[in-house]
Amino acid sequence: MGYGSEKILPYNENENKGTQVKRMFDEIAPTYDPLNRIISLGLDKGWRRKGIAFLKPFSPQKILDITTGTGDLAISMAKKLRPEQITGADLSEEMMKIGRRKAEEAGYGKVITFEQQDCTALTYPDNSFDAVTAAFGVRNFEQIETGLAEMYRVIKPGGHIMILELSAPGYFPMKQLYTLYTTTILPLVGQLISRQKTAYKYLPESIRVVPQGQVMAGILRKCGFTEVKIRTFTFGVCSLYTGKK
């Protein structure tokens, strides 16, 4: 079964999605962090805090952060969870270069390592991590179910998954306001700052059709997760999915 966001491609129909997503994030990496703060109105920091709060009671010591990007979630987890090791995995080497610098500057260069990985075909052994996380990256998976199954595979029995993903509000008036913002304002701001019109046209399109709510929860259960729960923030603009292996 295919999911809508798997079919939304940044550039063309001639390359697979993973190749295109890697190129897109390599190109926007230099402006990604400041632009992300502007576009999210700074709300992304609070969303990450709530995701980390879910993990805190379990004290995970070995964490894999999928689609780590420039390392914001990994660095926040290092500060608040004090794990022994965090591995940040991403397709984009240019994004991770920035993440490595930020981790060093924050004093977590020895705790956080960054590795280039295809998140739908991880190289880690089964049952390797106490927790696996992903912030705002599942919609970029070429095969969502395969990616989530890989996350399940590398989690230790009793370990947890924590996914933050952007979502589209379904009710008036936020639905209409969100549509206006993402289809008009977001691409314009993205183009002005990053000079990358394509990337910020792709973003709202991928959010609109990524599996959400009970559909995403159903995929997690199908992959084997139990205790699957959903929380939404900011009128449904962000969703938190959690579960246990």
Side-chain angles (χ1 to χ4, degrees):
M1 178 179 178
Y3 300 98
S5 58
E6 297 172 352
K7 301 178 179 67
I8 301 296
L9 306 175
Y11 297 110
N12 58 65
E13 300 291 335
N14 301 321
E15 300 172 293
N16 64 47
K17 182 168 182 173
T19 299
Q20 295 186 51
V21 165
K22 178 185 180 301
R23 184 162 81 250
M24 180 185 73
F25 280 106
D26 280 345
E27 290 176 354
I28 67 174
T31 57
Y32 179 83
D33 278 345
L35 188 53
N36 193 42
R37 297 292 174 267
I38 293 169
I39 287 172
S40 72
L41 307 177
L43 295 169
D44 59 306
K45 292 183 178 180
W47 298 335
R48 287 190 189 89
R49 281 197 298 270
K50 290 172 182 176
I52 293 169
F54 162 76
L55 292 173
K56 192 170 180 63
F58 310 117
S59 301
Q61 293 304 298
K62 192 173 181 183
I63 302 171
L64 174 64
D65 184 34
I66 296 288
T67 66
T68 194
T70 61
D72 280 344
L73 180 59
I75 292 167
S76 293
M77 289 193 294
K79 290 177 181 177
K80 294 172 183 175
L81 301 179
R82 301 291 178 179
E84 294 175 3
Q85 178 189 356
I86 299 176
T87 302
D90 202 285
L91 280 172
S92 172
E93 185 60 41
E94 293 304 312
M95 294 281 278
M96 289 189 292
K97 282 181 183 177
I98 296 169
R100 290 186 188 99
R101 184 177 71 242
K102 287 164 59 177
E104 287 287 349
E105 291 172 353
Y108 297 109
K110 293 183 179 179
V111 176
I112 305 171
T113 58
F114 292 84
E115 299 178 353
Q116 190 172 43
Q117 290 274 336
D118 178 349
C119 298
T120 63
L122 299 170
T123 62
Y124 308 112
D126 296 357
N127 310 319
S128 294
F129 300 94
D130 300 309
V132 176
T133 62
F136 317 119
V138 168
R139 69 181 181 279
N140 298 317
F141 286 179
E142 187 166 349
Q143 296 176 313
I144 289 175
E145 195 171 306
T146 302
L148 296 178
E150 276 291 273
M151 294 165 81
Y152 180 87
R153 179 181 67 79
V154 300
I155 295 175
K156 296 176 183 178
H160 293 82
I161 190 170
M162 187 280 284
I163 295 172
L164 287 163
E165 188 53 84
L166 296 172
S167 46
Y171 301 99
F172 178 86
M174 280 304 298
K175 179 179 180 179
Q176 287 73 18
L177 291 171
Y178 181 80
T179 299
L180 175 66
Y181 179 73
T182 56
T183 59
T184 305
I185 299 172
L186 189 152
L188 178 61
V189 173
Q191 184 177 2
L192 287 173
I193 296 178
S194 73
R195 306 298 180 189
Q196 283 289 328
K197 181 178 180 180
T198 298
Y200 292 95
K201 181 174 179 289
Y202 162 81
L203 176 64
E205 290 179 351
S206 64
I207 296 169
R208 180 174 54 83
V209 295
V210 71
Q212 298 179 25
Q214 290 300 330
V215 177
M216 181 68 84
I219 302 171
L220 288 167
R221 293 187 185 101
K222 184 178 179 181
C223 291
F225 289 102
T226 61
E227 300 180 21
V228 175
K229 295 180 180 178
I230 311 164
R231 289 178 63 193
T232 59
F233 311 122
T234 319
F235 306 103
V237 170
C238 178
S239 297
L240 168 65
Y241 303 95
T242 58
K244 180 179 179 180
K245 179 171 178 177

